[in-house]
Structures are given as C-alpha cells and as structure tokens.
C-alpha cells in the first residue's frame, strides 16, 4: 500500500508543528522572534567557524585552532578550584602523542566522556612539544560531525538558546520545508547569473558542505535579496510615474550661462542637462543632485530655476536654516533679477507685512522664484503655478516636508540637493525611487584642505597655530569635545561647549573673541552667532556639530575637531567642508588620543583623500551601511545577507536582472512567487516611503 503523503507544510506554519520541535524548544525559539518555519530557516548565521582541519596531536600548532580525533585514555576527574569553578580534566591520545584537555564548569562531561572511546576535540592548541593542551574545546563523539569536522555556523543567540539547539532546530526546519521552498528567482535569471537552486542555497548557508558551497549559497541569497529589493523599489517608482504633466518647452540657456561669472564644470553641465531632460519628459522630475561640498550644486539648481521660470512657471528653493536661506538669496537674487526673474526671500523672521505682500505676489505670479525656509510650506501660502521645488541639504528635511512643499503645486518637478556623498551602491538602494545625478568634479583652482590627525598632546602647538593664522586675519572653527551620551545629551552638549569656550576665552585666547553655538540655543540665537562669525565679529567659533550645515564663511581657514574618533568619516568630511571655501590655504586638524587600530585607519583616510565619495565608500566598508545617515529613516526593508560595502558588482547584476524581468512582465503575473515575496518584503516599508 502506498504511504499517505503528509500534508505539505507551508512556510507560515508554526515551528512547533514540525517534527523534532516541541513546546519547550518552540518557546526558546520564540525568544529570538522565531515563530514560523520561514522565520526559522531565515535565521542566518552571523559567521562561520571552519572546523574542517584535522591534525594529529603531535602536529597541533600552539595558538591555532584545529580538530583532533583522539581516544580518551583516562577517567575524567573533577576538581573544585574555588567556589563556582569546577574543572574537568581528561587525557586523550592518538598514535602521535598525548593531549591534556580541561573543561571549565562542564561537570556533566565527566559522565559523558568514556575511557576507550574516540572523540573529536576542536579548540585552540596550547602547550609545547611534550605536553599538548586544549582548554574547553568543543567535543563530540567521532563520526557525529555536528560541531566538528565541518564549517560550523555561529548564530546570533539570546539567553537560554544555545548554538546547538538552534542549529538542530534549523536542521529540522530545513528538512520540513525541503519540498516547499518557493524559488523566487525565475529559472532563466538563475541560470544566466550562475546562481544555485534555492534548496542548495538554504542548505549550505546553514550547513555548508565546503567553503565553495557556502560562497555559492551566499551569492545566491544576496543576489535574491538585491533582486527583490530592486523590483520593490521599481514598483514604488512606477507608482510615481503614472502622473503626467505638461512637458516643459526647450529654453535658450545661453543668457543664463552668459550671466555667470564662471563657466560651469562639465559635471555641473551634465547634471543640468539631466535635470532639463526630466522636465521636458512629461513626467514630474524627481532627482537627487549629489555633490561634495563646494562642488557647485547651487548653480545646477539655479539653471533649473531659470529653465522653469522661462517656461512660465514658478520655482521655490527651500533651505533648512534661515541663514542658509539668506545666503542663497543673497547669492542668487542679483543673478536672477538681472535675468528678469523676480525673487523673494521668505523665512520665519520675515516681518508679517512683508510676508503678506510676498504671499499675495506668489498667488498672483508676480514673484517667480521664492527662496526660504520651511516658511515656504506653512499654511496660507498659495502659488500661482509652482513648477519646480528645490530642497537644499536634503537630509535635514523629512520626506513629509518635501512632500508638503510639492503639494503647493500640481505635481511640480522636484530637485533635491545633497552634500552627503553617498556611495553609488548605497544611493541606488536609498534613492532607488529617485534619479540621481552626481557632480563628481570641483570647480578648478580649489586648494585641498591640509588635514592632520594628531594626539591631544599637540594642543599647545595647535593653539599657537590658530593664534598665528588669526593674526593673519583668518578665523577658526573648533568642534568641542563631546560628552558621553546620557539621558540629557542636549544639556550636556551645552555644558561641554560653554565650558570649553570659556576656558579658551579666559585661559588661552584672552586677546581674541571666542564665540560658541550649541544645539540647545534657540534657532534665532544660533543664527545670530553664526551671522556674527560670518561677518568677522568673532575669531573662533566653538560648537557642537550644529555648524555641519553648509554656512559659507570663506574667511574661516581652520577646522579643529576634538575627539575626532567619535565621528563617522562622512561627518568629518562634512565638517572639513566648512573650511577651504575662500582663497586661503585651509587646514583641518583632527585630535584623537584613541589608539584603536580601526580609529587610526579611519582618521588616516581623512588625511589622505579629499574625495567625499571615496571617504563615504571607506566609511561604508569600515562601519557598514547601518551608520549611514538616514538608512533607517527611509524605512526600507533591511538587507540580511547582501553587504552593500562589498557586493557592488552583484548589486549591479541583480538590478539589471530585475529591470529585465519587469520589462518583460511588468505586473509579475507570470511570476507569482516573486511578486508575493516582494509584497511581503515591502509591506511595512511602503507606507513610510510614500
Ligand atoms: P555646494 O555644492 O557646496 O552647494 P556651492 O554651490 O555653494 O557649492 O558653490 C561653492 C562655490 O563655488 C560658490 O562660491 C560658487 O559661486 C562657486 N562655483 C560654483 N560653480 C563654479 C564653477 N563652475 N567655477 C567656479 N566657481 C564655481
Ligand atoms: Mg550648498
């Protein structure tokens, strides 16, 4: 008689329903958040230990880990060393020598290691040629091959769940879903990119047959992750593209270019062309312009504004702070007015009467170009025909604020400028729903900021150096030591800044004017201090990182950063970008007493390169994408396997494959398993992204 087939489990089956997982184990797993079969098999190892290498006892190399198959030659003994510390000792032998093995606080091994039986021990060898030792090795009977003799996965754990329990549960889980794992990669994609099958991938990501098999499994799963990710992002993007707007007409840009005091760089030109092409396409532009500090993003925006206004539309430029808005206004208004474009500045401190008149002129269309802070989006403002919205320093604004400004028009074109260089790989993920232009070139004639990483013992020399430069008429920024995080970080910041500034003023630079800003100040106070500094009324500005925002003080020629090790590279790069904006040779001095290898390496990167993108890549490599500004904020589903720092090429392959699939099957109707997984992956993300 034919055996009745068990009903097929499905991946959302509770783990307890599979063979070998009882209530007790299910409860343990639940502590890790593992409830379904899917959760279980998706619980991936954090790393692996290669325990494949076997040595004879005589060949063990002190200091190195290896497996030894050896026979227990003595009855294990237990010694109480002191309270709470028991030591099990046993002697093991092979044909080459003797190994003394000790275990701490594993008294149960006394009755589990039997004299005359052979076991495999895996651990770090110690001792000398005469006496080999291993302390607390992993041990199991010869032939079991569960924790020795292979590449062993090491899982993230929680209290009460051991590696062994987890890996045995996963074994059961994999067996239970051997027949039901849906392959979300279409066969042709899998073959074209030389990817292994899903069963092989799951089997080997958990229980690798070999290093090669593990690499194949990892590659396949990372590809899959990036592939699904791309499809999800594309679908979000497409939702946006169903909107149609009247295309902008071509405009003669010569008067604009002719009015500039310089020629745009090739990179700026290219960005302008990309943006203008968007605006003539009939679909709203949604473009991010990325460019290092000083790369000239403002002029790219200005070109777009010119283009939009000459098309009879209005444009708005929103900056995150009042002082930045004013700088933009002062920089752009003369140029624009000269070109016949009527400009207005609108910020929180615009007098009510002026505000009212600006509001009226925006509503009638008498003003073509409004520059300001978020005052531009607050209620009551109506635009006659807002066609282009530019936001500067994008990461200071929430998606919501950008959207609010966009709602002031009928699907206006949007251009976002960001000075946070984001590695290309990450930009593709973070801004997958935005088109990205990169200004990868600085205007000619810039002198790189000389950068030094020094220990705290250099303070006196640094102060002398500041005194000299200030004597020559320059100004300096000092980012003050940060205090350890506490419940009330803001007030601690304030204390750190004010005390440090006071000390500098009274003890070090009594003859100079030391000013300070910190995050607890009211925006008005902050801006007043910044404005005074910009006007040359103070010599040294002590601050927390609030000065990160791109205020332009061309006369500032030194940036000193205390406790530089506490900052990410990209952040340091932003800080450094505050200087070197004028005609003077500028300096950045990074002070750190931290001797940690990685810290040294990071700070060294700063002294070696001025390229923000290279620095960002390095930051990504050293610290991972989690640290990148805003990765979490974007609410994108996290990547579990793919490593954006390393898998650049794989990402490109996966993206291309995803685009091809969508081109041939836009609705994924022929690929239901793929569609289902993308939906699951983006379920929560979708709300936050739109
Ligand atoms: P950022 O990208 O940091 O916003 P800005 O737009 O503020 O940079 O430009 C920095 C400085 O470089 C400004 O003083 C600007 O006038 C100048 N600039 C911009 N483009 C060029 C260029 N092509 N040639 C020379 N100077 C330029
Ligand atoms: Mg700028």
């Amino acid at each position: 008689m034919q055996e009745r087939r068990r009903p097929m489990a499905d991946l959302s089956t509770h783990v307890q329903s599979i063979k070998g997982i009882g209530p007790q184990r299910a409860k343990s797993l639940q502590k890790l958040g593992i409830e379904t079969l899917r959760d279980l098999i998706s619980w991936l190892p954090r790393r692996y230990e290669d325990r494949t290498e076997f040595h004879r006892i005589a060949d063990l190399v002190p200091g190195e880990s290896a497996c030894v198959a050896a026979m227990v030659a003595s009855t294990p003994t237990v010694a109480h060393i002191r309270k709470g510390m028991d030591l099990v000792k046993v002697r093991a032998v092979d044909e080459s020598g003797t190994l003394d093995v000790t275990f701490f606080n594993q008294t149960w091994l006394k009755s589990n290691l039997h004299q005359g039986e052979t076991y495999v021990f895996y651990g770090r060898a110690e001792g000398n040629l005469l006496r080999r030792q291993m302390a607390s090795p992993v041990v199991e009977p010869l032939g079991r091959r569960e924790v020795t003799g292979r590449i062993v996965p090491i899982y993230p754990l929680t209290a009460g769940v051991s590696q062994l329990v987890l890996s045995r549960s996963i074994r059961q889980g994999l067996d239970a879903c051997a027949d039901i794992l849906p392959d979300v990669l279409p066969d042709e994609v899998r073959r074209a990119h030389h990817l292994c099958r899903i069963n092989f991938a799951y089997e080997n990501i958990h229980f690798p047959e070999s290093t090669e098999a593990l690499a194949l499994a990892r590659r396949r799963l990372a590809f899959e992750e990036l592939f699904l990710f791309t499809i999800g992002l594309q679908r979000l993007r497409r939702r946006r593209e169903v909107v149609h707007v009247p295309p902008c007409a071509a405009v003669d840009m010569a008067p604009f270019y002719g009015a500039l005091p310089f020629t745009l760089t090739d990179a700026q030109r290219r960005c302008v062309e990309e943006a203008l092409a968007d605006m003539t396409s009939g679909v709203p532009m949604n473009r991010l312009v990325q460019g290092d500090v000083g790369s000239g993003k403002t002029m790219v925006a200005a070109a777009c504004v010119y283009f939009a206004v000459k098309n009879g539309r209005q444009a708005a430029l929103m900056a995150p702070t009042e002082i930045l808005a004013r700088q933009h206004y002062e920089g752009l208004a003369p140029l624009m007015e000269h070109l016949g474009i009527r400009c207005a500045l609108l910020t929180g401190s615009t007098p009510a009467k002026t505000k009212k008149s600006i509001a009226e002129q925006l509503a009638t269309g008498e003003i073509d170009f409004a520059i300001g802070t978020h005052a531009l989006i607050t209620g009551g403002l109506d635009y006659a025909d807002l066609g282009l919205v530019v936001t500067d320093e994008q990461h200071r604004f929430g998606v919501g604020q950008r959207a609010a400004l966009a709602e002031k028009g009928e699907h206006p074109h949007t251009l976002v400028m960001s000075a946070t260089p984001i590695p290309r790989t990450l930009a593709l993920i973070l801004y997958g729903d935005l088109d990205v232009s990169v200004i990868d070139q600085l205007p000619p004639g810039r002198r790189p900021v000389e950068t030094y990483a020094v220990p705290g013992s250099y303070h006196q020399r640094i102060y002398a150096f500041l005194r000299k430069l200030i004597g020559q008429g320059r100004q300096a920024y000092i980012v003050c030591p940060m205090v350890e995080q506490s419940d009330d970080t803001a007030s601690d910041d304030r204390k750190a800044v004010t005390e440090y500034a006071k000390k500098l003023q009274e003890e070090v630079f009594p003859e100079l004017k030391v000013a300070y800003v910190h995050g607890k100040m009211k925006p008005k106070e902050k801006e007043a201090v910044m404005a005074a500094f910009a006007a040359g009324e103070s010599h040294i500005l002590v601050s927390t990182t609030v000065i990160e925002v791109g205020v332009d003080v061309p006369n500032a020629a030194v940036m000193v950063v205390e406790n530089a090790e506490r900052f990410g590279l990209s952040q340091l790069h932003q800080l450094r970008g505050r200087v070197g904006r004028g005609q003077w040779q500028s300096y950045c001095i990074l002070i750190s007493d931290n001797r940690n290898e990685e810290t040294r390496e990071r700070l060294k990167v700063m002294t070696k390169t001025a390229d923000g993108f290279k620095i960002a890549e390095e930051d990504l490599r050293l610290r991972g994408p989690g640290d990148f500004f805003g990765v979490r904020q974007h609410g994108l589903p996290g990547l579990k396997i793919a490593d954006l720092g390393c898998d650049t090429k794989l990402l490109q392959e996966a993206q291309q494959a995803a685009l091809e699939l969508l081109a041939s099957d836009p609705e994924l109707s022929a690929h239901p398993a793929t569609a289902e997984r993308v939906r699951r992956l983006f379920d929560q993300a979708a709300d936050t992204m739109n």
Side-chain angles (χ1 to χ4, degrees):
M1 207 175 86
Q2 210 179 340
E3 195 189 335
R4 272 259 298 282
R5 280 190 78 175
R6 267 196 305 147
M8 274 201 207
D10 121 350
L11 288 180
S12 22
T13 312
H14 194 270
V15 285
Q16 204 181 314
S17 64
I18 63 177
K19 195 171 133 274
I21 297 187
Q24 200 55 45
R25 195 172 279 187
K27 222 166 140 195
S28 299
L29 292 174
Q30 200 184 0
K31 288 194 213 156
L32 294 167
I34 299 175
E35 295 190 347
T36 65
L37 205 45
R38 178 184 294 107
D39 298 337
L40 181 60
I41 64 168
S42 310
W43 191 260
L44 298 176
R46 191 177 41 192
R47 61 186 178 88
Y48 299 85
E49 264 182 28
D50 186 346
R51 301 180 185 168
T52 49
E53 193 144 334
F54 275 76
H55 282 317
R56 299 188 316 156
I57 292 174
D59 299 334
L60 285 172
V61 181
E64 287 180 13
S65 295
C67 293
V68 187
M71 182 185 290
V72 167
S74 67
T75 312
T77 60
V78 179
H80 295 284
I81 311 222
R82 56 185 151 84
K83 197 159 170 265
M85 175 87 98
D86 293 320
L87 195 65
V88 175
K89 286 189 178 188
V90 73
R91 173 159 295 184
V93 296
D94 69 4
E95 75 284 1
S96 75
T98 305
L99 182 71
D100 288 326
V101 184
T102 51
F103 298 93
F104 290 99
N105 290 346
Q106 288 174 272
T107 39
W108 48 273
L109 278 172
K110 178 176 161 51
S111 42
N112 277 271
L113 293 174
H114 303 291
Q115 197 178 359
E117 297 280 340
T118 299
Y119 297 86
V120 178
F121 301 89
Y122 169 83
R124 223 167 89 103
E126 285 157 34
N128 51 38
L129 279 178
L130 296 175
R131 282 173 63 88
R132 306 281 184 183
Q133 296 159 342
M134 264 187 198
S136 296
V138 171
V139 59
E140 68 183 348
L142 180 67
R144 183 181 283 174
R145 288 193 78 229
E146 204 168 34
V147 289
T148 68
R150 57 188 197 82
I151 299 169
V152 177
I154 309 292
Y155 293 98
L157 297 175
T158 185
V161 188
S162 69
Q163 289 294 346
L164 203 57
V165 162
L166 197 53
S167 105
R168 282 182 182 164
S169 306
I170 289 173
R171 179 72 271 160
Q172 304 287 353
L174 285 178
D175 292 344
C177 56
D179 298 330
I180 55 164
L181 275 181
D183 201 332
V184 297
L185 285 184
D187 262 349
E188 64 277 12
V189 171
R190 205 172 47 69
R191 276 194 295 267
H193 296 273
H194 311 287
L195 300 163
C196 65
R197 284 182 189 280
I198 191 67
N199 286 47
F200 181 94
Y202 271 107
E203 183 66 31
N204 281 281
I205 203 80
H206 288 295
F207 302 102
E209 278 296 324
S210 63
T211 332
E212 294 75 24
L214 174 58
L216 286 176
R218 212 198 76 81
R219 182 169 183 278
R220 142 87 208 209
L221 294 174
F223 183 100
E224 173 179 314
E225 201 168 39
L226 298 167
F227 177 81
L228 297 172
F229 213 92
T230 307
I231 291 182
L233 288 172
Q234 284 302 315
R235 303 193 104 192
L236 288 179
R237 179 199 292 242
R238 214 141 20 106
R239 233 186 280 168
R240 186 189 94 209
E241 282 176 358
V242 292
V243 179
H244 288 281
V245 293
C248 287
V251 166
D252 175 16
M253 296 295 287
F256 174 79
Y257 290 130
L260 297 180
F262 41 69
T263 319
L264 290 193
T265 61
D266 290 346
Q268 283 171 311
R269 268 293 178 119
R270 199 191 55 238
C271 291
V272 171
E273 273 156 26
E274 286 167 354
L276 300 194
D278 288 349
M279 289 195 273
T280 41
S281 73
V283 167
M285 167 165 76
N286 202 15
R287 184 168 288 278
L288 172 76
V289 173
Q290 267 198 18
D292 221 336
V293 277
S295 60
K297 292 181 288 295
T298 318
M299 280 309 150
V300 172
C304 296
V305 168
Y306 181 81
F307 183 83
V309 172
K310 291 298 162 192
N311 263 279
R313 319 281 311 267
Q314 287 170 304
L317 166 61
M318 182 163 72
T321 65
E322 181 148 350
I323 188 164
L324 275 173
R326 192 165 315 121
Q327 275 190 352
H328 276 313
Y329 180 77
E330 283 161 9
L332 291 176
L335 170 72
M336 292 300 186
E337 299 278 359
H338 172 75
L339 291 163
I341 293 171
R342 295 155 298 183
C343 305
L345 173 68
L346 189 65
T347 71
S349 63
T350 307
K353 230 175 106 191
T354 319
K355 199 175 275 179
K356 189 156 165 277
S357 132
I358 291 175
E360 280 167 13
Q361 290 174 284
L362 281 173
T364 57
E366 280 164 84
I367 291 174
D368 305 304
F369 181 26
I371 298 173
T373 55
H374 63 271
L376 291 174
I377 57 175
T378 44
L381 269 192
D382 274 324
Y383 293 79
D385 181 17
L386 184 59
L388 171 66
V389 168
V390 182
T391 46
D392 192 11
E393 309 292 336
Q394 175 266 338
H395 59 276
R396 300 275 157 169
F397 293 109
V399 175
Q401 280 172 306
R402 251 193 289 153
L405 183 52
E407 272 163 24
K408 298 274 175 192
E410 282 284 318
H411 302 290
H413 299 288
T414 61
L415 187 72
V416 176
M417 299 191 279
S418 171
T420 314
I422 291 171
R424 184 115 211 122
T425 41
L426 205 55
L428 288 168
I429 291 293
L430 283 184
Y431 301 114
D433 69 328
L434 251 63
D435 298 305
V436 181
S437 293
V438 179
I439 312 185
D440 50 5
Q441 184 184 18
L442 292 180
R446 291 281 162 81
R447 265 188 279 188
V449 178
E450 272 181 40
T451 304
Y452 303 92
V454 300
S457 58
Y458 275 51
H459 267 113
Q460 290 315 317
R461 276 202 246 178
I462 294 167
Y463 293 150
F465 181 65
L466 293 186
R467 194 169 282 116
K468 188 181 107 193
L469 283 179
I470 292 168
Q472 294 168 2
R474 305 288 79 73
Q475 290 165 285
Y477 292 106
I478 302 185
V479 173
C480 88
M482 288 192 295
V483 277
E484 289 295 344
Q485 287 281 348
S486 80
D487 291 345
D488 192 8
T489 321
S491 72
D492 283 342
D493 271 0
R494 169 171 55 188
K495 204 162 141 229
V497 170
T498 50
E499 282 179 5
Y500 191 68
K502 187 159 175 259
K503 183 189 129 198
L504 285 178
Q505 178 71 80
E506 291 173 2
E507 296 168 25
V508 189
F509 300 113
E511 76 283 16
L512 302 177
K513 174 119 181 53
V514 179
Y516 61 84
V517 269
H518 57 69
K520 260 284 174 84
M521 285 176 159
K522 294 204 184 72
K524 274 245 164 4
E525 292 176 84
K526 241 189 301 200
E527 303 221 348
V529 176
M530 292 297 304
F533 183 69
E537 290 161 24
S538 47
H539 302 105
I540 296 176
L541 182 63
V542 178
S543 75
T544 49
T545 53
V546 290
I547 52 161
E548 210 188 305
V549 175
V551 173
D552 210 356
V553 184
N555 194 44
V558 197
M559 166 64 66
V560 178
V561 183
E562 303 267 3
N563 294 130
E565 74 280 358
R566 307 237 178 116
F567 296 90
L569 284 183
S570 298
Q571 224 178 344
L572 289 175
H573 181 66
Q574 288 294 310
L575 288 171
R576 178 166 64 183
R578 296 301 104 224
V579 297
R581 308 192 131 225
Q583 69 211 84
W584 323 103
Q585 174 61 54
S586 297
Y587 307 86
C588 174
I589 302 169
L590 306 172
I591 307 178
S592 173
D593 278 327
N594 191 304
R595 309 212 65 79
N596 173 291
E597 182 87 19
E598 196 207 295
T599 308
R600 312 246 112 207
E601 198 188 328
R602 282 205 292 135
L603 296 183
K604 212 156 97 200
V605 171
M606 290 298 298
T607 64
K608 292 244 166 81
T609 178
D611 180 336
F613 286 94
K614 236 187 236 158
I615 286 169
E617 297 276 359
E618 200 64 15
D619 219 8
L620 181 59
R621 191 177 68 76
L622 291 169
R623 307 206 309 173
D627 280 330
F628 254 86
F629 176 76
V631 174
R632 300 236 162 74
Q633 270 172 255
H634 283 74
L636 295 176
L639 294 174
K640 286 197 199 155
I641 305 182
D643 176 350
L644 293 172
C646 308
D647 290 331
T648 319
K649 202 161 159 286
L650 199 65
L651 175 60
Q652 281 162 358
E653 272 189 56
Q655 285 185 322
Q656 196 202 332
L659 297 181
E660 281 168 13
L661 181 73
L662 283 175
S664 67
D665 181 14
E667 294 310 317
L668 297 181
S669 35
H671 300 88
T674 315
E676 154 71 13
R677 272 290 284 288
V678 171
R679 198 187 51 69
R680 187 184 296 283
L681 194 64
F682 276 80
D683 243 3
Q684 292 150 335
D687 298 338
T688 40
M689 285 191 65
N690 276 352

